[in-house]
Amino acid sequence: MQTKLIYPAIILFLFFFNCNMMAQNALTLANSKGQEVIILSTSDRTNNAATLLKTFLDRAFENPFRIEFGKEIRNQNAKIILEIADNTVDENSFIIKSDEKNITLIGSNEKTVRYAIYTVLETWGFRKYTAKDSFIPKLKYITFPKNTSQTYKPSFEYRALFYPDCYDEAFRDWHKLDWHINDFGIWGHSFYQLLSAKTYFQSNPSFFALYEGQRNSESLCMTNDTVVAIVAKKMGEIIAKNPNAGFFSISQNDDVVYCECNNCKALNDKHGGPQGSFYYFLNKIAKQFPNTKITTLAYLHTYRAPENLKIESNIYTLFCPIEMNRGKAIVESPNNKNFLNILNNWSATAPHLYLWDYTVEFTNYLSPFPNLHTFSKNFKLYKQNKVKGLFVQGYADVPGDLYELRQYLLAKIIWNTQMDVEAVTNDFLKGFYGNAAPFVKKYIDLLTQNQGNMDRYLDIYSDPIQSRSSFLTPEAMDQYDQIISQAENAVHDDAVLAKKVLKLRLALEYVYFEQSKFYGKDKHGMFAGKNKEDQGKKLRERVLNFTKKCNEFGIYELSEGGLSPDQYYEEWLAIEKNACNHLGENMEIQFLTPPADGNKGKGTYGLVDGVRGYKNYAINWIGWYGTNPKVQLSTHKMNFNTIRINTLNDQRHWIFTPQKISIYGFKNDKWELIVRLKSDELTEISEVTIKEWEFKSDTFNQCSSLKIEVENVKELPYWRKRKNKKPMVMLDEIELYNK
């Protein structure tokens, strides 16, 4: 028994010995009377930083800190010394060091001195979770290792996030973030600003791209010397008006249009694609402004690096990998070999390689998007491939799902790709969600696990309908609901924390509403079960409450350039009218022409399920891409005389009203044309519309089967003509009536 007692005694001895050794090796600064800690500002350029540090520490300690000015240490009290050393630290780095008594924070400028302050504050337990949520510990003393020196250098020289709290300067400063809105004299897609189609297209069409045989105002001719002169002049004016800006963008518009005139085509053939003539053009401009950082987007048709063409040294390429599986880290996806080759080519070609990353689901800001687990590995990969700067796009100023954690994690990772993601995540959740934290973590982990188990391609333009068979199945939704209910119970007596959990609940509500439109009259549908019994009243009230809560949280739109919460409710009311009772529900139907992959909806049942489509092509529409749909109905001489069909016109997504629809009947062992309707001439419109077709005949009931043939638009209209694109036809419910 005695031997068993020896081991705890040894452990206790070692514990107290180690604690004593740690105490001897650490500075302990207690700002009490007689032991006052002084903040020493060594120059005028550190005075504001000293005031900043004092403000934070005064909120944590009972006694205020005192600032001294000047380089001399005039008393024996411990000090936190702030210095700017122009020649010993590069412009993005800082040093934190200590001796036996003092801590010294050294930056290359005022900004990096502040970065050093925030870093040391975090070691003492201070946190800034969001622009409005901070944690200030109550302290009696602070500690720091003696006789140490560490240089802090960011993983990337430029780090901008596009998330809600990044609009707040104090949040950006704490998290060491840049801000593209301040840093760029002209940002992003810029051709339309540099040479206006409104001003020049009618009078000088040759300034613009010859694309698919026609001049197109969406891009410029890269080899037209007058275009070069106009753009250079405009750039000079913009640079003069923005003397404090660090970057100026010359980039194609947000479209896959480029010039194919003889001169441009020759350059494209020589240098590997449309990026060839583009960088030829860009080099000409960049040479005229050698001291200006010219940025450009490697995007869509300029996605790949030019071949055998040297890029001017003041050009910064912003590589935009928009099409990628966001559900897996890049290095873990076997289909990314081509992407890795492209990235490697850019690493070797671009004198300054930056990267534009996409981290949310832009079509549904409130839909869960389990990609947090990919961030760390992806940004490590970018750093390994010589990416120097980042613009990480999120929800902009819309507080989308889990934006608080997303922006916090991203800020930490892009400063230091080696940070412990799991530890930072747990620290954030505990500080931000309090007692609900374990359940929020469980919810996030389950989303990630379910997505990983199904191995589904996770796209930034996805939706809850596409995910209904993977991580957003009805069964999974029930699990998430139970976990969020546990989180709600854990903080029900704390109004602030309860509101944070409520925002997580909104994501589940949104998914349920979207999927209920798809399921229609079937289980989980908006026209089924209890929803049908009370005519959708309770569900309608839930949707209304959801929209009110979105407005309270400042969620003013639900997707990129999409509906406001109020518009979402109005659309819901319109969709409620889309249930229809007709004679052909659940009848036997077959596709004679198979629909396009990704646009099959519920299959043949989707055309006879008793629910019409609305303006979202992902819900209750079936699509045929570049083909003419043919559908056969087994009507068995049913008594009806009217057929009603809707078609969608969403030209932004290359969906057009068909040219005509013909209905054939099978009788006397052959197909005979019964009725045919033609559409009006196609015109360019920007809004989404639905065309209603109604066919009448007293001979429908004489046929055992009917065949519907839809004639698609033969080729894309000139205003939407793009390479590798074809016109799509979309049909919804095929309704049969006896009127």
Side-chain angles (χ1 to χ4, degrees), residues 91 124 153 192 245 295 351 398 410 433 550 629 644 660 675 681:
E91 63 177 356
W124 294 329
K153 184 176 182 179
Y192 71 97
T295 66
V398 180
L410 286 165
Y433 290 105
C550 285
R644 184 183 186 275
K660 61 185 175 183
V675 62
E681 186 177 346

Side-chain angles (χ1 to χ4, degrees), residues 258-373:
Y258 52 88
C259 191
E260 299 174 299
C261 73
N262 290 337
N263 291 335
C264 287
K265 186 178 184 303
L267 288 169
N268 295 340
D269 292 342
K270 181 179 179 181
H271 299 298
Q275 67 273 24
S277 60
F278 178 72
Y279 275 91
Y280 167 86
F281 168 81
L282 202 60
N283 279 345
K284 282 194 165 188
I285 306 293
K287 288 177 182 178
Q288 299 184 49
F289 304 97
N291 298 319
T292 299
K293 295 177 181 178
I294 304 292
T295 66
T296 194
L297 304 178
Y299 178 72
L300 300 179
H301 55 279
T302 60
Y303 182 64
R304 297 174 182 271
E307 300 172 5
N308 305 312
L309 189 153
K310 183 180 179 182
I311 299 174
E312 288 296 315
S313 61
N314 60 325
I315 293 176
Y316 288 65
T317 296
L318 193 50
F319 179 48
C320 306
I322 193 167
E323 294 180 359
M324 190 184 299
N325 183 0
R326 308 288 162 170
K328 277 189 173 182
I330 295 168
V331 294
E332 295 175 349
S333 180
N335 299 323
N336 281 333
K337 183 177 180 180
N338 185 49
F339 167 79
L340 293 172
N341 288 336
I342 294 171
L343 177 60
N344 184 61
N345 288 339
W346 274 119
S347 301
T349 304
H352 308 279
L353 181 60
Y354 283 16
L355 187 140
W356 182 318
D357 205 13
Y358 306 84
T359 58
V360 299
E361 190 174 288
F362 292 96
T363 43
N364 297 275
Y365 283 164
L366 281 183
S367 186
F369 194 66
N371 67 331
L372 299 174
H373 60 290

Side-chain angles (χ1 to χ4, degrees), residues 283-517:
N283 279 345
K284 282 194 165 188
I285 306 293
K287 288 177 182 178
Q288 299 184 49
F289 304 97
N291 298 319
T292 299
K293 295 177 181 178
I294 304 292
T295 66
T296 194
L297 304 178
Y299 178 72
L300 300 179
H301 55 279
T302 60
Y303 182 64
R304 297 174 182 271
E307 300 172 5
N308 305 312
L309 189 153
K310 183 180 179 182
I311 299 174
E312 288 296 315
S313 61
N314 60 325
I315 293 176
Y316 288 65
T317 296
L318 193 50
F319 179 48
C320 306
I322 193 167
E323 294 180 359
M324 190 184 299
N325 183 0
R326 308 288 162 170
K328 277 189 173 182
I330 295 168
V331 294
E332 295 175 349
S333 180
N335 299 323
N336 281 333
K337 183 177 180 180
N338 185 49
F339 167 79
L340 293 172
N341 288 336
I342 294 171
L343 177 60
N344 184 61
N345 288 339
W346 274 119
S347 301
T349 304
H352 308 279
L353 181 60
Y354 283 16
L355 187 140
W356 182 318
D357 205 13
Y358 306 84
T359 58
V360 299
E361 190 174 288
F362 292 96
T363 43
N364 297 275
Y365 283 164
L366 281 183
S367 186
F369 194 66
N371 67 331
L372 299 174
H373 60 290
T374 68
F375 292 163
S376 180
K377 290 181 180 179
N378 284 355
F379 288 111
K380 285 178 181 176
L381 174 71
Y382 298 151
K383 179 173 172 56
Q384 291 166 5
N385 280 270
K386 301 179 183 178
V387 172
K388 302 298 183 184
L390 293 167
F391 172 74
V392 182
Q393 187 176 3
Y395 304 109
D397 59 342
V398 180
D401 184 52
L402 279 173
Y403 89 89
E404 304 92 343
L405 175 60
R406 287 178 182 278
Q407 65 184 16
Y408 190 90
L409 270 182
L410 286 165
K412 298 297 183 189
I413 292 171
I414 65 178
W415 172 262
N416 176 16
T417 57
Q418 300 303 316
M419 54 82 81
D420 187 334
V421 176
E422 187 74 7
V424 171
T425 300
N426 292 335
D427 180 74
F428 175 90
L429 295 178
K430 182 179 179 181
F432 190 73
Y433 290 105
N435 290 336
F439 306 106
V440 178
K441 182 66 162 58
K442 184 178 179 182
Y443 166 62
I444 295 170
D445 288 346
L446 186 59
L447 274 169
T448 304
Q449 176 185 321
N450 287 339
Q451 195 280 329
N453 288 343
M454 297 303 296
D455 196 23
R456 195 188 76 82
Y457 191 96
L458 193 66
D459 186 77
I460 59 174
Y461 297 118
S462 185
D463 57 65
I465 310 304
Q466 294 179 20
S467 302
R468 70 188 183 279
S469 301
S470 55
F471 65 93
L472 294 179
T473 64
E475 295 74 22
M477 288 291 293
D478 286 342
Q479 291 178 302
Y480 305 145
D481 177 77
Q482 292 171 18
I483 296 171
I484 296 301
S485 293
Q486 291 175 307
E488 289 169 334
N489 291 334
V491 295
H492 72 276
D493 57 349
D494 187 316
V496 173
L497 295 178
K499 188 174 181 180
K500 293 176 180 178
V501 176
L502 172 60
K503 184 171 177 292
L504 296 177
R505 167 73 69 189
L506 292 182
L508 299 185
E509 287 286 89
Y510 178 77
V511 171
Y512 177 75
F513 299 149
E514 289 296 283
Q515 291 186 348
S516 71
K517 298 174 188 175

Side-chain angles (χ1 to χ4, degrees), residues 21-50:
M21 290 297 293
M22 289 172 64
Q24 292 179 10
N25 292 326
L27 292 168
T28 301
L29 308 182
N31 198 44
S32 57
K33 292 181 179 178
Q35 289 185 311
E36 186 180 51
V37 178
I38 294 168
I39 300 171
L40 179 63
S41 176
T42 59
S43 73
D44 291 343
R45 290 198 292 165
T46 56
N47 289 349
N48 290 336

